[in-house]
Amino acid sequence: MAVRVHIWGERACFTRPEMKVERVSYDVITPSAARGILEAIHWKPAIRWHVDRIHVLRPIRFQSIRRNEVGAKASAANAASAMKRGTTDGLGIAVDENRQQRAALVLVDVAYVIEAHFSMTGRAGPEDSPAKHIAMFNRRAAQGQCFHRPCLGTREFPAEFALIEEGEALPHSTLDKPDADFGWMLHDIDFARGNESRFFRAQMQGGVIEVPPFDAETVMR
Amino acid sequence: MSTPVTQRHEFVLYFDVTNGNPNGDPDAGNMPRLDPETNQGLVSDVALKRKVRNFVALVKDQEPGFEIYMTEGATLNNQHKKAWAALLPEVSRDDEFKRLPKDQQKAQALTRWMCTNFWDIRTFGAVMTTGVNAGQVRGPVQFGFAKSVERILPLEISITRMAATTEKDAEEKGGRTMGRKHIVPYGLYRVQGFVSAPLASHPTKGTGFSEGDLELLWQALGQMFDHDRSAARGEMASRKLIVFRHQSALGNAQAQSLFDRVKTWRVHEGSVQEIGSTATDNWPPARKWEDYKVTIDREAVPAGVEILEY
């Protein structure tokens, strides 16, 4: 049950895990981010998306953006005690006391075609058939419907999307260097095993990155 | 007004700046943010969210359920939390959370409580440090970057202060110091945003962002600059807010097809031209809102989509 989705946006940031304080994006979308976009359109616990191929349609270009960010997370312990006390006194983060100025090296003007399929999981009930889910996904993607607005890495970079119907040609590509070795790239995070990251060697040939299956031998932990 | 939002929305907001700096770039010595490739001005999503938060904190002061988690400046939290019991009778000192069986359930109760009390968590989400997934809240409201409709020309203005900070300065510089201000003479900015209804109304993932909260968001977008006056900002104002309301939670049309319906034009002495058209080459630069025109294509609007203007 394969689908093809065209996604694009003005900016994107697929943060490299080794450079996430001052964020540096990967050169292209990761399979994990692509899966997130598909899930934003349609997902149920009964299915799992697998990204098969990523087509890169635009030249890879970067831009730097520096912003004032907050260095603290909301403390669940404080929230729990405030909840017990029944008051919000002392809750809240004063942003100017927790200031971090961070730069992000983000991609500009990106467009991709994601080729993906899904498999049924152990949580599929008798009413879940692949045909039903594929029909739901196709209907939603074709009509521009989504569960929540998909994004290109981070939520400030919203993604536009369009379904590429079966037999329909791929969108026009202006990619200037169709062959590249992007090195080791995040494949996805294994949520079943303590959020373990897995990496694969991302190589683009003719503008296409073949994504190995998540449990393939070439995927490193 | 407390029912969660069940319809998807997209919005386009136009705001302008006259002789001010809408959003300084810390990387460029606080110059107005620029897209280096096009020279269009930028305003980051977080700058706008900050103003929305400040506006809500201002108008909903003293009101429980509308607190702002990410506060600015002196913490505004005072002793005005007397209505708790009325709002959340189930939360009291006698509450026995220890009896809740699973950690996940507890975390969810916690998240729910935070969403109920803090408007900005309900709207934009927040990250809480719990091991459980429910500790991360994705809010339904999402902003993109605001971009000026035409290229802008940032100016650097040198200013003099007739006093010095230190005695040493006073002696060396004769009691006067120079400073710099960056301004944009005029810029019209456009920002696009999204309200994903399922993140408001979904039984487990939803934050409970309500119809009333949505109205407050529109109000904030319309008035946020009116309460953000400062020496740096100059004159900023919201000019037009266009909302696309879908009938369903998932939406009834592609977002980009709706955004494309809103177009900006240049106007000069009664003539209306597309932005960037060669006909505008010898026109003077835009210096006021009236130098632009915004049109909304209402022809054949997709079924189930309503266009609202604020």
Side-chain angles (χ1 to χ4, degrees), chain B:
Chain B
M1 289 297 264
S2 67
T3 48
V5 169
T6 53
Q7 293 171 294
R8 193 179 102 179
H9 295 76
E10 267 96 40
F11 59 89
V12 180
L13 172 71
Y14 283 94
F15 61 91
D16 65 356
V17 59
T18 312
N19 294 332
N21 184 356
N23 187 203
D25 187 347
D27 250 351
N30 210 35
M31 279 230 313
R33 286 187 195 275
L34 276 182
D35 180 330
E37 291 174 349
T38 62
N39 268 358
Q40 282 166 304
L42 297 176
V43 173
S44 67
D45 59 314
V46 283
L48 295 172
K49 284 181 181 174
R50 177 77 264 150
K51 291 184 189 15
V52 170
R53 284 189 166 107
N54 288 353
F55 178 82
V56 171
L58 193 71
V59 299
K60 291 290 186 181
D61 190 28
Q62 311 283 323
E63 220 172 297
F66 290 92
E67 288 188 59
I68 296 299
Y69 195 75
M70 297 289 173
T71 52
E72 193 179 40
T75 312
L76 299 162
N77 286 342
N78 292 323
Q79 311 82 302
H80 57 248
K81 316 288 151 35
K82 280 167 195 139
W84 280 116
L87 185 77
L88 277 175
E90 75 275 20
V91 177
S92 67
R93 278 169 213 281
D94 308 316
D95 222 358
E96 292 169 311
F97 277 100
K98 281 172 196 145
R99 262 209 264 147
L100 281 175
K102 274 194 219 134
D103 207 24
Q104 180 144 10
Q105 230 171 319
K106 191 174 163 186
Q108 252 172 27
L110 203 60
T111 312
R112 172 86 27 219
W113 187 80
M114 292 295 274
C115 285
T116 314
N117 285 310
F118 291 97
W119 189 85
D120 57 337
I121 295 185
R122 207 152 67 225
T123 308
F124 303 127
V127 178
M128 296 215 291
T129 49
T130 32
V132 194
N133 261 347
Q136 195 164 27
V137 189
R138 266 181 315 182
V141 179
Q142 195 176 338
F143 287 72
F145 269 49
K147 197 165 75 175
S148 66
V149 297
E150 285 191 290
R151 61 178 68 177
I152 55 164
L153 176 77
L155 295 180
E156 190 177 326
I157 311 279
S158 290
I159 49 173
T160 334
R161 185 172 64 162
M162 304 307 284
T165 319
T166 63
E167 245 172 84
K168 190 163 164 275
D169 273 1
E171 281 164 23
E172 279 172 10
K173 295 171 184 162
R176 286 195 298 187
T177 42
M178 300 281 286
R180 289 177 309 162
K181 272 181 105 154
H182 295 280
I183 62 163
V184 177
Y186 184 79
L188 178 67
Y189 289 74
R190 167 176 169 147
V191 61
Q192 297 174 173
F194 308 88
V195 182
S196 302
L199 294 183
S201 56
H202 191 273
T204 53
K205 288 177 187 152
T207 64
F209 179 77
S210 70
E211 293 290 341
D213 293 331
L214 189 67
E215 284 306 315
L216 185 57
L217 175 73
W218 302 145
Q219 196 194 344
L221 290 176
Q223 298 175 26
M224 58 189 177
F225 298 112
D226 299 343
H227 306 281
D228 186 58
R229 302 288 177 213
S230 79
R233 297 273 174 260
E235 291 162 41
M236 294 187 72
S238 294
R239 289 298 186 171
K240 209 174 190 58
L241 174 63
I242 298 143
V243 177
F244 297 98
R245 174 170 288 164
H246 299 251
Q247 220 161 53
S248 67
L250 296 173
N252 296 62
Q254 291 186 321
Q256 65 268 24
S257 75
L258 298 177
F259 287 138
D260 289 348
R261 290 178 171 270
V262 182
K263 278 215 176 75
T264 327
W265 308 78
R266 272 304 304 277
V267 179
H268 179 54
E269 290 178 349
S271 158
V272 178
Q273 291 288 342
E274 234 167 294
I275 283 180
S277 149
T278 49
T280 66
D281 280 358
N282 56 359
W283 286 15
R287 284 293 179 263
K288 53 185 190 300
W289 165 239
E290 287 73 29
D291 291 338
Y292 290 106
K293 185 181 167 186
V294 173
T295 58
I296 310 165
D297 178 8
R298 292 170 187 276
E299 289 285 307
V301 176
V305 177
E306 195 186 342
I307 304 179
L308 308 166
E309 275 183 82
Y310 289 87

Side-chain angles (χ1 to χ4, degrees), chain A residues 89-101:
Chain A
D89 280 349
L91 266 189
I93 296 176
V95 285
D96 36 12
E97 289 162 21
N98 288 285
R99 194 54 99 212
Q100 286 185 352
Q101 230 168 46

Side-chain angles (χ1 to χ4, degrees), chain A residues 36-38 40-41 146 148-152 157-161, chain B residues 142 196:
Chain A
I37 289 178
L38 299 172
I41 300 169
C146 52
H148 60 87
R149 175 59 28 189
C151 65
L152 295 160
F157 306 132
E160 309 278 21
F161 60 91
Chain B
Q142 195 176 338
S196 302

Side-chain angles (χ1 to χ4, degrees), chain A:
Chain A
M1 288 291 164
V3 298
R4 291 187 303 171
V5 184
H6 180 202
I7 54 170
W8 67 96
E10 273 182 35
R11 287 179 190 79
C13 184
F14 310 108
T15 309
R16 290 173 181 268
E18 69 272 25
M19 286 182 278
K20 61 182 184 184
V21 175
E22 298 235 276
R23 286 179 287 269
V24 175
S25 175
Y26 278 117
D27 296 40
V28 292
I29 189 169
T30 59
S32 153
R35 174 181 58 81
I37 289 178
L38 299 172
E39 286 177 358
I41 300 169
H42 173 70
W43 179 78
K44 284 274 152 63
I47 64 169
R48 175 184 293 150
W49 284 105
H50 306 272
V51 175
D52 302 319
R53 231 160 272 114
I54 294 166
H55 300 252
V56 183
L57 304 179
R58 298 265 178 280
I60 294 159
R61 292 184 299 142
F62 289 92
Q63 230 173 53
S64 168
I65 299 171
R66 186 177 290 271
R67 281 170 290 185
N68 289 330
E69 297 180 13
V70 172
K73 279 196 260 184
S75 155
N78 286 354
S81 76
M83 189 170 169
K84 256 182 224 154
R85 280 185 284 119
T87 151
T88 55
D89 280 349
L91 266 189
I93 296 176
V95 285
D96 36 12
E97 289 162 21
N98 288 285
R99 194 54 99 212
Q100 286 185 352
Q101 230 168 46
R102 291 193 192 181
L105 194 61
V106 305
L107 294 166
V108 282
D109 186 23
V110 300
Y112 307 100
V113 170
I114 309 294
E115 283 189 50
H117 69 276
F118 65 82
S119 60
M120 307 303 283
T121 67
R123 292 170 71 185
E127 73 286 1
D128 287 306
S129 73
K132 169 187 137 182
H133 287 288
I134 196 88
M136 273 178 94
F137 181 88
N138 284 340
R139 193 180 63 234
R140 286 187 185 184
Q143 295 177 2
Q145 298 186 318
C146 52
F147 183 85
H148 60 87
R149 175 59 28 189
C151 65
L152 295 160
T154 54
R155 289 192 79 198
E156 60 268 39
F157 306 132
E160 309 278 21
F161 60 91
L163 182 72
I164 303 178
E165 315 259 359
E166 248 179 77
E168 197 183 330
L170 291 184
H172 175 68
S173 167
T174 55
L175 186 65
D176 46 354
K177 294 191 196 100
D179 299 300
D181 185 348
F182 297 122
W184 289 97
M185 188 162 108
L186 179 73
H187 187 298
D188 211 327
I189 293 165
D190 194 345
F191 294 99
R193 292 187 197 209
N195 300 344
E196 188 183 80
S197 304
R198 292 198 194 174
F199 295 85
F200 76 112
R201 191 70 189 250
Q203 279 163 324
M204 179 164 72
Q205 281 173 335
V208 183
I209 301 165
E210 290 283 340
V211 181
F214 192 45
D215 46 12
E217 271 182 24
T218 53
V219 176
M220 296 291 161
R221 282 173 202 173

